């Protein structure tokens, strides 16, 4: 067991920290206020390799391991969790899914573009009546011989408007329940593909989250990933890895709030001394640092298991469950350490607190993570 990062991992950490500090920090409050993410920043993320970290070099990616990816996610999430969710969905749900299960043609056609930053992807599983209960898909993909006819509605889709390509889960054989679900690669602009309402969210406000509607959208058969009926298994397998990415996002949000609190506590004076001299604040800082370190160990372990080709379902669920609770707790304490300043936007911690909440919800709520962990324990 080695708790030190390799030189390569340190280089990734440095590059991500540099990008976050120099490119993301300056406009992060405005982007949150305006609910907009600058497409030029997405292209920059692509150019620097942050959108396709685990994609093999022959398809334009960085060919890196999952640990590199979580290290970069942590650094970028310290500053801008909207940027990191865009990055996370593209890396671990869309690119990883196509690379792991797509055909050679699908990889060549889509991964290169998804790596460059000229195009990003979206992952469409949730529906108005199928969030946690994901097997209950109402969107249908009717088999029409050489194509599928797609009909239905998907909800809360990250990158909903800004994506160029969507992975859509849809039911083809209802009599087979979840074993009848397919996953289709659907290109933006296909007739009948409608981008619906943009959500006005509590946090990660700069990332665009939309309802997507499909009305008789023709999807060629060659755009199905895997065998007929593989769609639900695809979604579950991809989400196992995605959950490590969201755990890393939660870790980054917590670390960012902690770093700001540590600095503020040494600058702010009350009763004639820095508040860091008060035991009430020292105890908060100590507990924050301890929980963050424990979360980091779980996140890195899950990434390591994935890189070693070992089973990581339980480790990923534990990492997400714990890191997201830590993010919520640490950011709330960070606002408390900052007092009145913590409650205003300029000091960043109120945004981090709002951003933290979603990590307990998306890519499987905390309750679903407990269910996954319990099933693994009992099987
Ligand atoms: N990994 C691999 N396979 C899994 C799995 C996992 N973690 N969890 C379940 N499965 C498999 C089961 O083995 C089973 O397969 P078989 O029939 O071949 O044995 C199949 O999936 C169905 O599982 P269950 O019978 O256990 O089904 P269930 O309905 O009781 O439970 C669930 C399924 C685990 C609750 C699942 O619906 C789930 O994970 N729900 C949460 C969905 C989710 O995470 N949504 C996130 C949306 S995407 C998002 O947020 C992206 C974004 O924009 C940021």
């Amino acid at each position: 067991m080695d708790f030190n990062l390799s030189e390569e991992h340190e280089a990734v950490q440095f590059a991500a920290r540099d990008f976050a500090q120099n490119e993301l920090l300056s406009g992060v409050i405005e982007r949150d206020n305006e609910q907009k993410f600058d497409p030029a920043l997405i292209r920059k993320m692509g150019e620097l390799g942050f959108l396709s970290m685990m994609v093999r070099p022959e398809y334009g990616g960085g060919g890196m391991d999952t640990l590199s990816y979580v290290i970069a996610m942590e650094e970028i999430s310290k500053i801008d969790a909207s940027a990191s969710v865009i990055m996370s969905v593209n890396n671990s749900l869309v690119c990883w899914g196509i690379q792991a299960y797509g055909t050679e043609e699908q990889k060549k056609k889509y991964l290169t573009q998804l790596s460059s930053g000229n195009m990003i992807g979206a992952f469409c599983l949730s529906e108005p009546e199928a969030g946690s209960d994901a097997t209950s898909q109402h969107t249908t993909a009717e088999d029409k011989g050489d194509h599928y006819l797609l009909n239905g509605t998907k909800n809360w889709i990250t990158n909903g408007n800004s994506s160029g390509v969507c992975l859509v889960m849809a039911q083809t054989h209802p009599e087979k329940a979840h074993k009848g679900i397919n996953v289709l690669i659907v290109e933006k602009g296909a007739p009948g593909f409608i981008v619906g309402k943009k959500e006005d969210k509590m946090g990660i406000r700069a990332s665009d989250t939309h309802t997507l509607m499909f009305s008789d959208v023709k999807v060629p058969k060659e755009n199905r990933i895997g065998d007929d009926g593989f769609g639900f298994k695809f979604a579950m397998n991809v989400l196992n890895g995605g959950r490590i990415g969201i755990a890393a996002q939660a870790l980054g949000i917590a670390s960012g709030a902690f770093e700001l609190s540590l600095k503020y506590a040494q600058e702010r004076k009350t009763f004639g001394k820095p508040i860091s001299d008060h035991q009430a604040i020292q105890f908060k800082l100590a507990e924050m640092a301890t929980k963050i370190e424990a979360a980091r160990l779980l996140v890195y372990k899950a990434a390591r298991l994935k890189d070693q080709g070992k089973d990581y379902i339980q480790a990923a669920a534990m990492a997400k469950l714990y890191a997201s609770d830590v993010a919520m707790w640490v950011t709330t304490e960070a606002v408390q350490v900052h007092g009145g300043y913590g409650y205003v936007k300029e000091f960043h911690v109120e945004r981090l607190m709002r951003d933290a909440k979603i990590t307990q919800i998306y890519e499987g709520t905390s309750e679903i993570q407990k269910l996954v962990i319990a099933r693994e324990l009992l099987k």
Side-chain angles (χ1 to χ4, degrees), residues 261-278 281 337-341 347:
S261 303
L262 191 64
K263 186 163 174 286
Y264 179 83
Q266 292 168 85
E267 290 165 3
R268 172 75 170 158
K269 290 199 171 90
T270 59
F271 307 102
K273 53 186 178 185
I275 61 170
S276 59
D277 283 3
H278 299 302
I281 300 297
V337 169
H338 282 74
Y341 291 108
F347 283 75

Side-chain angles (χ1 to χ4, degrees), residues 3 27 46 78 124 134 166 174 201 211 233 249 307 317 329 342 350:
F3 290 101
K78 283 181 186 176
C124 308
C166 296
K201 307 193 296 290
T211 298
K233 202 73 187 168
Q249 180 187 46
D307 288 334
W329 186 84
E350 68 80 36

